[in-house]
Amino acid sequence: MANPTARSRAMNAAARAAAKRTRRIEDPKQPEEPLTGRTLTIDPPAADGWEDPPEPSSEDLTDEAPARPSRRWLLTVVLGALLVMGLVAVSVLGWRYGQERRAESARAQALTAARKAAPVVLSYDYRHLDRDFTRGRDRLTGHFRNEYGKTTASVVGPTAKKYHGVVKASVTAASVVSAAPDRVTVLLFVNQVTQSTQVSGSRLDLNRVRMTMSRTSDGWKVIAVDAL
């Protein structure tokens, strides 16, 4: 017959073994069998939680794609262009206004000078031709002055001396045809009374003369005379 003490010991050992297996199943700290397949490793978070990804720098943005101009920049460019256009328009209008003012002043000055010059240039007396032609040349300028000197010396002077010619001119009406700040064309209605040995009494000629005036340092001078 078996010893009751030995049987009791065997039963206690079996109970302890069963209890140990039960605890191993229930205890989560006990190692489980390894999983097969790919292993995913996750780094532990920082002490203050998960770290945010770094903010992109301006250099990174520049490298990735060029920045588009902002609306404020476009508005500045448009306003600048409009300002420049406005300044140009004002300058042009100011220049045109100044030209018109100068042309208006030239009209009055040249018209007065033409009315005074015509009787001197278109009149002469055989008894003092040199004096008359000198006074006439003083009213002229440029190429026309030279032509006047040649014509009076070679044609008008000898003829006047030969026939005792006397011509007196007077302006009855005058108006401006065109005007610029430095050049004005004037239309003159001129009466010329001629006396000579070739004419019985006096002869009256009603002429229309176009006289072109030019501004010089000595005032307005005649640069052309055309009979119409």
Side-chain angles (χ1 to χ4, degrees):
M1 187 171 178
N3 188 354
T5 303
R7 189 182 313 130
S8 175
R9 289 177 178 174
M11 291 178 63
N12 291 335
R16 286 195 299 271
K20 186 176 181 179
R21 286 195 299 269
T22 301
R23 287 195 302 272
R24 183 180 299 171
I25 294 173
E26 292 178 355
D27 190 359
K29 295 183 179 180
Q30 294 297 326
E32 298 181 356
E33 294 188 8
L35 298 176
T36 61
R38 186 175 179 182
T39 302
L40 177 64
T41 302
I42 301 177
D43 294 334
D48 55 351
W50 293 98
E51 294 183 355
D52 293 333
E55 297 262 344
S57 64
S58 59
E59 295 180 355
D60 296 335
L61 293 176
T62 304
D63 294 339
E64 291 179 0
R68 294 183 179 180
S70 63
R71 291 185 178 181
R72 180 175 298 177
W73 183 84
L74 291 176
L75 180 60
T76 301
V77 172
V78 172
L79 291 178
L82 292 177
L83 178 60
V84 172
M85 293 174 61
L87 292 176
V88 171
V90 170
S91 299
V92 171
L93 291 176
W95 178 82
R96 293 182 61 180
Y97 176 74
Q99 288 292 98
E100 291 177 358
R101 289 287 301 272
R102 291 184 60 197
E104 188 64 27
S105 176
R107 290 170 63 95
Q109 296 174 7
L111 182 60
T112 301
R115 294 182 68 102
K116 294 180 179 179
V120 178
V121 175
L122 301 177
S123 302
Y124 56 86
D125 190 323
Y126 76 97
R127 288 166 293 192
H128 36 75
L129 292 176
D130 291 340
R131 185 196 66 182
D132 295 342
F133 293 154
T134 299
R135 293 176 58 194
R137 283 195 305 270
D138 290 342
R139 305 283 179 159
L140 314 179
T141 189
H143 180 70
F144 184 64
R145 176 186 172 93
N146 298 331
E147 290 298 319
Y148 176 86
K150 293 178 181 179
T151 302
T152 54
S154 61
V155 179
V156 179
T159 302
K161 289 180 179 180
K162 182 177 180 179
Y163 299 108
H164 294 182
V166 177
V167 177
K168 293 182 180 180
S170 60
V171 177
T172 60
S175 64
V176 175
V177 176
S178 63
D182 298 320
R183 188 184 182 98
V184 177
T185 300
V186 179
L187 178 63
L188 302 170
F189 292 85
V190 180
N191 290 348
Q192 281 184 308
V193 178
T194 303
Q195 296 177 342
S196 71
T197 57
Q198 299 296 106
V199 178
S200 177
S202 300
R203 186 185 69 208
L204 175 62
D205 296 319
L206 305 179
N207 301 319
R208 290 191 306 165
V209 176
R210 182 174 58 206
M211 184 172 288
T212 304
M213 311 296 293
S214 177
R215 186 196 298 271
T216 70
S217 58
D218 295 328
W220 288 90
K221 302 286 187 179
V222 182
I223 60 173
V225 175
D226 300 306
L228 302 178

